[in-house]
Structures are given as C-alpha cells and as structure tokens.
Amino acid sequence: MKKKLRPVVEGLAVGIVFFSITLLFEIPFFMSVIIGALASVGGYRNSIKMDKEEKK
C-alpha cells in the first residue's frame, strides 16, 4: 500500500467503526455522521503520527 494512501484508509476505517457504533446506540443520524467524521480525522492524524515515529 502506498504511504500516502495508508493514513486515508486507516482514517476511514476508524470513522466507519465509530459511525456504526453510534448508530447502534440510537443516537440521531446527523450526530453519528459528525462523530464518524471527527473520528476519521483523528484516525488520519494518528496514522501520520505513528508513521513519523516509526521512521525515527
């Protein structure tokens, strides 16, 4: 997998997981979308941070 694509895929995976979990708890749909989007951004940033730490 390309280095640039990996953080995007990991971010999307985290976002989808959080989105599906919030839907299970009957949270309104728009709030689930917001939580999923924020989790995606967090997963993306965490993946980049972990890659930088591995290079050291």
Tab-separated table of all heavy atoms in Angstrom:
chain	number	residue	atom	x	y	z
A	1	MET	N	0.845	-1.177	0.000
A	1	MET	CA	0.000	0.000	0.000
A	1	MET	C	0.891	1.240	0.000
A	1	MET	O	1.886	1.287	0.714
A	1	MET	CB	-0.896	-0.021	1.235
A	1	MET	CG	-1.914	1.085	1.215
A	1	MET	SD	-3.023	1.092	2.644
A	1	MET	CE	-3.742	-0.505	2.566
A	2	LYS	N	0.519	2.222	-0.775
A	2	LYS	CA	1.316	3.439	-0.847
A	2	LYS	C	1.283	4.182	0.480
A	2	LYS	O	0.297	4.132	1.220
A	2	LYS	CB	0.779	4.345	-1.953
A	2	LYS	CG	0.972	3.779	-3.334
A	2	LYS	CD	0.487	4.753	-4.370
A	2	LYS	CE	0.685	4.183	-5.751
A	2	LYS	NZ	0.209	5.086	-6.784
A	3	LYS	N	2.375	4.865	0.780
A	3	LYS	CA	2.485	5.598	2.043
A	3	LYS	C	1.423	6.685	2.170
A	3	LYS	O	0.935	6.951	3.251
A	3	LYS	CB	3.873	6.241	2.171
A	3	LYS	CG	4.940	5.263	2.525
A	3	LYS	CD	4.854	4.936	3.986
A	3	LYS	CE	6.045	4.121	4.404
A	3	LYS	NZ	5.971	3.725	5.777
A	4	LYS	N	1.061	7.336	1.053
A	4	LYS	CA	0.077	8.418	1.106
A	4	LYS	C	-1.340	7.878	1.280
A	4	LYS	O	-2.198	8.554	1.821
A	4	LYS	CB	0.149	9.247	-0.174
A	4	LYS	CG	1.483	9.870	-0.408
A	4	LYS	CD	1.384	11.339	-0.332
A	4	LYS	CE	2.779	11.915	-0.558
A	4	LYS	NZ	2.850	13.273	-0.226
A	5	LEU	N	-1.597	6.674	0.821
A	5	LEU	CA	-2.938	6.102	0.874
A	5	LEU	C	-3.245	5.458	2.230
A	5	LEU	O	-4.397	5.458	2.662
A	5	LEU	CB	-3.096	5.061	-0.240
A	5	LEU	CG	-4.473	4.481	-0.445
A	5	LEU	CD1	-5.455	5.573	-0.833
A	5	LEU	CD2	-4.426	3.410	-1.515
A	6	ARG	N	-2.227	4.983	2.899
A	6	ARG	CA	-2.438	4.260	4.160
A	6	ARG	C	-3.146	5.106	5.237
A	6	ARG	O	-4.112	4.620	5.839
A	6	ARG	CB	-1.101	3.751	4.674
A	6	ARG	CG	-1.233	2.924	5.908
A	6	ARG	CD	0.087	2.357	6.330
A	6	ARG	NE	-0.065	1.639	7.582
A	6	ARG	CZ	0.917	1.321	8.367
A	6	ARG	NH1	2.142	1.616	8.023
A	6	ARG	NH2	0.692	0.684	9.484
A	7	PRO	N	-2.728	6.349	5.513
A	7	PRO	CA	-3.442	7.134	6.529
A	7	PRO	C	-4.907	7.389	6.167
A	7	PRO	O	-5.775	7.391	7.038
A	7	PRO	CB	-2.666	8.445	6.607
A	7	PRO	CG	-1.334	8.150	6.057
A	7	PRO	CD	-1.529	7.053	5.061
A	8	VAL	N	-5.186	7.554	4.892
A	8	VAL	CA	-6.562	7.804	4.457
A	8	VAL	C	-7.425	6.575	4.734
A	8	VAL	O	-8.540	6.678	5.255
A	8	VAL	CB	-6.606	8.189	2.963
A	8	VAL	CG1	-8.024	8.289	2.464
A	8	VAL	CG2	-5.858	9.491	2.726
A	9	VAL	N	-6.900	5.402	4.395
A	9	VAL	CA	-7.649	4.159	4.608
A	9	VAL	C	-7.863	3.909	6.099
A	9	VAL	O	-8.960	3.545	6.528
A	9	VAL	CB	-6.920	2.973	3.938
A	9	VAL	CG1	-7.557	1.654	4.319
A	9	VAL	CG2	-6.907	3.149	2.434
A	10	GLU	N	-6.837	4.129	6.900
A	10	GLU	CA	-6.977	3.925	8.345
A	10	GLU	C	-7.960	4.923	8.948
A	10	GLU	O	-8.751	4.579	9.821
A	10	GLU	CB	-5.618	4.026	9.025
A	10	GLU	CG	-4.740	2.831	8.762
A	10	GLU	CD	-3.416	2.896	9.492
A	10	GLU	OE1	-3.246	3.758	10.375
A	10	GLU	OE2	-2.545	2.062	9.183
A	11	GLY	N	-7.913	6.164	8.490
A	11	GLY	CA	-8.856	7.169	8.978
A	11	GLY	C	-10.288	6.808	8.638
A	11	GLY	O	-11.188	6.929	9.481
A	12	LEU	N	-10.520	6.358	7.414
A	12	LEU	CA	-11.870	5.951	7.017
A	12	LEU	C	-12.356	4.752	7.816
A	12	LEU	O	-13.524	4.686	8.206
A	12	LEU	CB	-11.903	5.629	5.524
A	12	LEU	CG	-11.934	6.821	4.583
A	12	LEU	CD1	-11.833	6.349	3.144
A	12	LEU	CD2	-13.188	7.637	4.790
A	13	ALA	N	-11.449	3.811	8.070
A	13	ALA	CA	-11.834	2.629	8.845
A	13	ALA	C	-12.271	3.021	10.253
A	13	ALA	O	-13.302	2.546	10.745
A	13	ALA	CB	-10.666	1.649	8.901
A	14	VAL	N	-11.520	3.897	10.889
A	14	VAL	CA	-11.875	4.347	12.240
A	14	VAL	C	-13.205	5.091	12.208
A	14	VAL	O	-14.070	4.883	13.064
A	14	VAL	CB	-10.752	5.243	12.821
A	14	VAL	CG1	-11.200	5.913	14.103
A	14	VAL	CG2	-9.505	4.432	13.069
A	15	GLY	N	-13.390	5.950	11.217
A	15	GLY	CA	-14.637	6.707	11.107
A	15	GLY	C	-15.845	5.809	10.907
A	15	GLY	O	-16.893	6.022	11.524
A	16	ILE	N	-15.708	4.799	10.070
A	16	ILE	CA	-16.825	3.881	9.815
A	16	ILE	C	-17.167	3.087	11.063
A	16	ILE	O	-18.347	2.873	11.383
A	16	ILE	CB	-16.493	2.963	8.627
A	16	ILE	CG1	-16.483	3.786	7.338
A	16	ILE	CG2	-17.469	1.805	8.536
A	16	ILE	CD1	-15.936	3.052	6.143
A	17	VAL	N	-16.154	2.660	11.799
A	17	VAL	CA	-16.398	1.904	13.031
A	17	VAL	C	-17.141	2.768	14.051
A	17	VAL	O	-18.144	2.344	14.627
A	17	VAL	CB	-15.073	1.367	13.622
A	17	VAL	CG1	-15.260	0.860	15.034
A	17	VAL	CG2	-14.517	0.277	12.732
A	18	PHE	N	-16.670	3.993	14.257
A	18	PHE	CA	-17.339	4.872	15.213
A	18	PHE	C	-18.752	5.211	14.760
A	18	PHE	O	-19.681	5.275	15.577
A	18	PHE	CB	-16.533	6.160	15.420
A	18	PHE	CG	-15.517	6.049	16.519
A	18	PHE	CD1	-14.293	5.463	16.284
A	18	PHE	CD2	-15.790	6.533	17.776
A	18	PHE	CE1	-13.348	5.352	17.288
A	18	PHE	CE2	-14.866	6.431	18.792
A	18	PHE	CZ	-13.638	5.833	18.548
A	19	PHE	N	-18.942	5.421	13.454
A	19	PHE	CA	-20.261	5.722	12.917
A	19	PHE	C	-21.227	4.576	13.180
A	19	PHE	O	-22.352	4.786	13.645
A	19	PHE	CB	-20.146	6.009	11.415
A	19	PHE	CG	-21.463	6.198	10.722
A	19	PHE	CD1	-22.191	7.345	10.920
A	19	PHE	CD2	-21.957	5.218	9.876
A	19	PHE	CE1	-23.402	7.534	10.281
A	19	PHE	CE2	-23.161	5.391	9.238
A	19	PHE	CZ	-23.888	6.551	9.438
A	20	SER	N	-20.790	3.352	12.922
A	20	SER	CA	-21.679	2.203	13.117
A	20	SER	C	-21.971	1.966	14.599
A	20	SER	O	-23.090	1.589	14.959
A	20	SER	CB	-21.092	0.960	12.469
A	20	SER	OG	-19.839	0.657	13.026
A	21	ILE	N	-20.988	2.204	15.453
A	21	ILE	CA	-21.220	2.023	16.894
A	21	ILE	C	-22.235	3.034	17.404
A	21	ILE	O	-23.125	2.699	18.188
A	21	ILE	CB	-19.898	2.119	17.673
A	21	ILE	CG1	-19.049	0.879	17.414
A	21	ILE	CG2	-20.147	2.275	19.172
A	21	ILE	CD1	-17.643	0.954	17.971
A	22	THR	N	-22.117	4.297	16.955
A	22	THR	CA	-23.066	5.311	17.430
A	22	THR	C	-24.478	5.032	16.909
A	22	THR	O	-25.448	5.346	17.590
A	22	THR	CB	-22.622	6.724	17.020
A	22	THR	OG1	-22.423	6.766	15.609
A	22	THR	CG2	-21.360	7.139	17.727
A	23	LEU	N	-24.603	4.441	15.731
A	23	LEU	CA	-25.936	4.086	15.245
A	23	LEU	C	-26.572	2.991	16.097
A	23	LEU	O	-27.796	2.965	16.262
A	23	LEU	CB	-25.874	3.636	13.786
A	23	LEU	CG	-25.702	4.741	12.749
A	23	LEU	CD1	-25.623	4.129	11.361
A	23	LEU	CD2	-26.829	5.738	12.813
A	24	LEU	N	-25.751	2.107	16.644
A	24	LEU	CA	-26.287	1.046	17.500
A	24	LEU	C	-26.917	1.600	18.767
A	24	LEU	O	-27.852	1.015	19.318
A	24	LEU	CB	-25.183	0.054	17.871
A	24	LEU	CG	-24.683	-0.854	16.756
A	24	LEU	CD1	-23.502	-1.671	17.250
A	24	LEU	CD2	-25.795	-1.761	16.278
A	25	PHE	N	-26.408	2.726	19.247
A	25	PHE	CA	-26.925	3.331	20.474
A	25	PHE	C	-28.055	4.310	20.219
A	25	PHE	O	-28.406	5.100	21.086
A	25	PHE	CB	-25.794	4.012	21.256
A	25	PHE	CG	-24.823	3.032	21.840
A	25	PHE	CD1	-23.539	2.936	21.345
A	25	PHE	CD2	-25.193	2.204	22.880
A	25	PHE	CE1	-22.636	2.031	21.877
A	25	PHE	CE2	-24.295	1.292	23.425
A	25	PHE	CZ	-23.021	1.208	22.916
A	26	GLU	N	-28.625	4.278	19.011
A	26	GLU	CA	-29.778	5.083	18.635
A	26	GLU	C	-29.537	6.581	18.818
A	26	GLU	O	-30.417	7.329	19.219
A	26	GLU	CB	-31.022	4.637	19.394
A	26	GLU	CG	-31.422	3.213	19.065
A	26	GLU	CD	-32.642	2.747	19.815
A	26	GLU	OE1	-33.202	3.537	20.590
A	26	GLU	OE2	-33.015	1.587	19.629
A	27	ILE	N	-28.326	7.020	18.554
A	27	ILE	CA	-28.018	8.444	18.515
A	27	ILE	C	-28.532	8.956	17.175
A	27	ILE	O	-28.470	8.234	16.183
A	27	ILE	CB	-26.490	8.657	18.651
A	27	ILE	CG1	-26.048	8.213	20.037
A	27	ILE	CG2	-26.095	10.103	18.417
A	27	ILE	CD1	-24.562	8.255	20.250
A	28	PRO	N	-29.055	10.183	17.110
A	28	PRO	CA	-29.552	10.699	15.833
A	28	PRO	C	-28.499	10.599	14.720
A	28	PRO	O	-27.301	10.703	14.960
A	28	PRO	CB	-29.878	12.154	16.133
A	28	PRO	CG	-30.157	12.176	17.595
A	28	PRO	CD	-29.261	11.121	18.196
A	29	PHE	N	-28.995	10.410	13.487
A	29	PHE	CA	-28.123	10.148	12.342
A	29	PHE	C	-27.090	11.252	12.134
A	29	PHE	O	-25.910	10.970	11.923
A	29	PHE	CB	-28.968	9.966	11.082
A	29	PHE	CG	-28.157	9.633	9.875
A	29	PHE	CD1	-27.646	8.359	9.706
A	29	PHE	CD2	-27.888	10.589	8.917
A	29	PHE	CE1	-26.886	8.045	8.593
A	29	PHE	CE2	-27.135	10.282	7.803
A	29	PHE	CZ	-26.632	9.008	7.639
A	30	PHE	N	-27.504	12.525	12.181
A	30	PHE	CA	-26.560	13.607	11.913
A	30	PHE	C	-25.469	13.672	12.970
A	30	PHE	O	-24.326	14.019	12.665
A	30	PHE	CB	-27.282	14.959	11.775
A	30	PHE	CG	-27.915	15.464	13.035
A	30	PHE	CD1	-27.216	16.303	13.876
A	30	PHE	CD2	-29.205	15.099	13.364
A	30	PHE	CE1	-27.791	16.777	15.043
A	30	PHE	CE2	-29.789	15.577	14.526
A	30	PHE	CZ	-29.083	16.411	15.370
A	31	MET	N	-25.796	13.320	14.197
A	31	MET	CA	-24.764	13.301	15.239
A	31	MET	C	-23.802	12.141	15.006
A	31	MET	O	-22.600	12.269	15.246
A	31	MET	CB	-25.394	13.207	16.627
A	31	MET	CG	-26.104	14.479	17.043
A	31	MET	SD	-26.805	14.373	18.680
A	31	MET	CE	-25.333	14.467	19.665
A	32	SER	N	-24.313	11.014	14.528
A	32	SER	CA	-23.450	9.878	14.206
A	32	SER	C	-22.495	10.229	13.075
A	32	SER	O	-21.330	9.830	13.098
A	32	SER	CB	-24.291	8.667	13.802
A	32	SER	OG	-25.063	8.222	14.876
A	33	VAL	N	-22.980	10.975	12.085
A	33	VAL	CA	-22.128	11.399	10.976
A	33	VAL	C	-21.022	12.315	11.483
A	33	VAL	O	-19.851	12.175	11.103
A	33	VAL	CB	-22.965	12.101	9.883
A	33	VAL	CG1	-22.074	12.750	8.845
A	33	VAL	CG2	-23.911	11.115	9.233
A	34	ILE	N	-21.366	13.246	12.357
A	34	ILE	CA	-20.364	14.173	12.907
A	34	ILE	C	-19.323	13.410	13.714
A	34	ILE	O	-18.113	13.637	13.572
A	34	ILE	CB	-21.047	15.257	13.770
A	34	ILE	CG1	-21.875	16.176	12.872
A	34	ILE	CG2	-20.017	16.060	14.561
A	34	ILE	CD1	-22.768	17.137	13.624
A	35	ILE	N	-19.766	12.487	14.557
A	35	ILE	CA	-18.831	11.689	15.359
A	35	ILE	C	-17.934	10.848	14.461
A	35	ILE	O	-16.724	10.746	14.684
A	35	ILE	CB	-19.602	10.813	16.363
A	35	ILE	CG1	-20.257	11.689	17.426
A	35	ILE	CG2	-18.696	9.774	17.008
A	35	ILE	CD1	-21.251	10.978	18.303
A	36	GLY	N	-18.504	10.252	13.426
A	36	GLY	CA	-17.716	9.462	12.478
A	36	GLY	C	-16.685	10.303	11.744
A	36	GLY	O	-15.546	9.878	11.537
A	37	ALA	N	-17.070	11.528	11.362
A	37	ALA	CA	-16.135	12.417	10.662
A	37	ALA	C	-14.988	12.836	11.572
A	37	ALA	O	-13.820	12.855	11.157
A	37	ALA	CB	-16.873	13.647	10.140
A	38	LEU	N	-15.303	13.172	12.798
A	38	LEU	CA	-14.252	13.561	13.750
A	38	LEU	C	-13.324	12.387	14.045
A	38	LEU	O	-12.105	12.566	14.171
A	38	LEU	CB	-14.870	14.088	15.041
A	38	LEU	CG	-15.571	15.440	14.927
A	38	LEU	CD1	-16.272	15.781	16.231
A	38	LEU	CD2	-14.596	16.531	14.546
A	39	ALA	N	-13.878	11.197	14.154
A	39	ALA	CA	-13.054	10.005	14.382
A	39	ALA	C	-12.162	9.737	13.172
A	39	ALA	O	-11.016	9.313	13.328
A	39	ALA	CB	-13.933	8.799	14.680
A	40	SER	N	-12.671	9.992	11.969
A	40	SER	CA	-11.864	9.805	10.759
A	40	SER	C	-10.670	10.740	10.753
A	40	SER	O	-9.551	10.334	10.436
A	40	SER	CB	-12.704	10.058	9.505
A	40	SER	OG	-13.693	9.109	9.372
A	41	VAL	N	-10.909	11.997	11.102
A	41	VAL	CA	-9.805	12.968	11.154
A	41	VAL	C	-8.788	12.541	12.207
A	41	VAL	O	-7.579	12.600	11.979
A	41	VAL	CB	-10.350	14.384	11.441
A	41	VAL	CG1	-9.231	15.363	11.712
A	41	VAL	CG2	-11.205	14.864	10.278
A	42	GLY	N	-9.277	12.108	13.362
A	42	GLY	CA	-8.372	11.646	14.416
A	42	GLY	C	-7.575	10.424	14.004
A	42	GLY	O	-6.376	10.332	14.277
A	43	GLY	N	-8.218	9.486	13.347
A	43	GLY	CA	-7.511	8.291	12.871
A	43	GLY	C	-6.470	8.627	11.820
A	43	GLY	O	-5.385	8.056	11.792
A	44	TYR	N	-6.787	9.567	10.948
A	44	TYR	CA	-5.851	10.014	9.914
A	44	TYR	C	-4.617	10.655	10.548
A	44	TYR	O	-3.485	10.305	10.226
A	44	TYR	CB	-6.553	11.000	8.989
A	44	TYR	CG	-5.660	11.631	7.957
A	44	TYR	CD1	-5.284	10.928	6.830
A	44	TYR	CD2	-5.192	12.931	8.107
A	44	TYR	CE1	-4.458	11.496	5.868
A	44	TYR	CE2	-4.376	13.506	7.161
A	44	TYR	CZ	-4.018	12.790	6.043
A	44	TYR	OH	-3.201	13.356	5.108
A	45	ARG	N	-4.854	11.570	11.483
A	45	ARG	CA	-3.728	12.259	12.138
A	45	ARG	C	-2.892	11.291	12.965
A	45	ARG	O	-1.664	11.386	13.008
A	45	ARG	CB	-4.247	13.399	13.013
A	45	ARG	CG	-4.846	14.520	12.179
A	45	ARG	CD	-5.299	15.657	13.012
A	45	ARG	NE	-4.116	16.260	13.625
A	45	ARG	CZ	-4.170	17.205	14.538
A	45	ARG	NH1	-5.324	17.655	14.958
A	45	ARG	NH2	-3.060	17.708	15.046
A	46	ASN	N	-3.534	10.338	13.632
A	46	ASN	CA	-2.812	9.357	14.427
A	46	ASN	C	-1.951	8.459	13.541
A	46	ASN	O	-0.829	8.105	13.906
A	46	ASN	CB	-3.793	8.517	15.241
A	46	ASN	CG	-3.094	7.635	16.238
A	46	ASN	OD1	-2.124	8.051	16.856
A	46	ASN	ND2	-3.583	6.419	16.384
A	47	SER	N	-2.468	8.091	12.381
A	47	SER	CA	-1.708	7.248	11.459
A	47	SER	C	-0.457	7.974	10.969
A	47	SER	O	0.623	7.387	10.890
A	47	SER	CB	-2.582	6.849	10.278
A	47	SER	OG	-1.853	6.062	9.387
A	48	ILE	N	-0.590	9.258	10.655
A	48	ILE	CA	0.573	10.043	10.221
A	48	ILE	C	1.587	10.153	11.352
A	48	ILE	O	2.795	9.999	11.143
A	48	ILE	CB	0.123	11.440	9.738
A	48	ILE	CG1	-0.655	11.297	8.435
A	48	ILE	CG2	1.309	12.362	9.551
A	48	ILE	CD1	-1.273	12.580	7.941
A	49	LYS	N	1.094	10.379	12.557
A	49	LYS	CA	1.980	10.500	13.718
A	49	LYS	C	2.735	9.194	13.969
A	49	LYS	O	3.936	9.202	14.234
A	49	LYS	CB	1.144	10.874	14.940
A	49	LYS	CG	1.913	11.101	16.195
A	49	LYS	CD	0.949	11.567	17.277
A	49	LYS	CE	1.391	11.096	18.612
A	49	LYS	NZ	0.441	11.431	19.675
A	50	MET	N	2.054	8.066	13.843
A	50	MET	CA	2.694	6.771	14.063
A	50	MET	C	3.741	6.491	12.984
A	50	MET	O	4.786	5.917	13.267
A	50	MET	CB	1.650	5.654	14.085
A	50	MET	CG	0.670	5.759	15.230
A	50	MET	SD	1.435	5.564	16.829
A	50	MET	CE	1.647	3.822	16.851
A	51	ASP	N	3.460	6.890	11.734
A	51	ASP	CA	4.450	6.706	10.670
A	51	ASP	C	5.710	7.526	10.925
A	51	ASP	O	6.816	7.058	10.661
A	51	ASP	CB	3.852	7.091	9.313
A	51	ASP	CG	2.888	6.035	8.803
A	51	ASP	OD1	2.907	4.906	9.308
A	51	ASP	OD2	2.093	6.365	7.879
A	52	LYS	N	5.545	8.739	11.435
A	52	LYS	CA	6.707	9.577	11.745
A	52	LYS	C	7.552	8.966	12.857
A	52	LYS	O	8.771	9.028	12.823
A	52	LYS	CB	6.257	10.988	12.131
A	52	LYS	CG	5.826	11.817	10.974
A	52	LYS	CD	5.462	13.222	11.397
A	52	LYS	CE	4.996	14.046	10.217
A	52	LYS	NZ	4.589	15.390	10.627
A	53	GLU	N	6.873	8.380	13.850
A	53	GLU	CA	7.598	7.757	14.951
A	53	GLU	C	8.356	6.503	14.498
A	53	GLU	O	9.418	6.196	15.023
A	53	GLU	CB	6.644	7.418	16.109
A	53	GLU	CG	6.170	8.632	16.850
A	53	GLU	CD	5.217	8.284	17.974
A	53	GLU	OE1	4.977	7.086	18.211
A	53	GLU	OE2	4.701	9.208	18.615
A	54	GLU	N	7.822	5.775	13.541
A	54	GLU	CA	8.490	4.575	13.036
A	54	GLU	C	9.755	4.923	12.267
A	54	GLU	O	10.701	4.147	12.253
A	54	GLU	CB	7.547	3.799	12.120
A	54	GLU	CG	6.471	3.025	12.844
A	54	GLU	CD	5.565	2.274	11.891
A	54	GLU	OE1	5.838	2.248	10.679
A	54	GLU	OE2	4.579	1.710	12.379
A	55	LYS	N	9.792	6.077	11.618
A	55	LYS	CA	10.954	6.484	10.842
A	55	LYS	C	12.146	6.828	11.714
A	55	LYS	O	13.275	6.716	11.273
A	55	LYS	CB	10.603	7.684	9.950
A	55	LYS	CG	9.712	7.327	8.797
A	55	LYS	CD	9.442	8.529	7.936
A	55	LYS	CE	8.508	8.190	6.807
A	55	LYS	NZ	8.210	9.388	5.983
A	56	LYS	N	11.897	7.247	12.948
A	56	LYS	CA	12.990	7.676	13.832
A	56	LYS	C	13.860	6.535	14.254
A	56	LYS	O	13.677	5.459	14.402
A	56	LYS	CB	12.453	8.391	15.065
A	56	LYS	CG	11.899	9.740	14.726
A	56	LYS	CD	11.443	10.438	15.981
A	56	LYS	CE	10.889	11.810	15.625
A	56	LYS	NZ	10.438	12.519	16.780
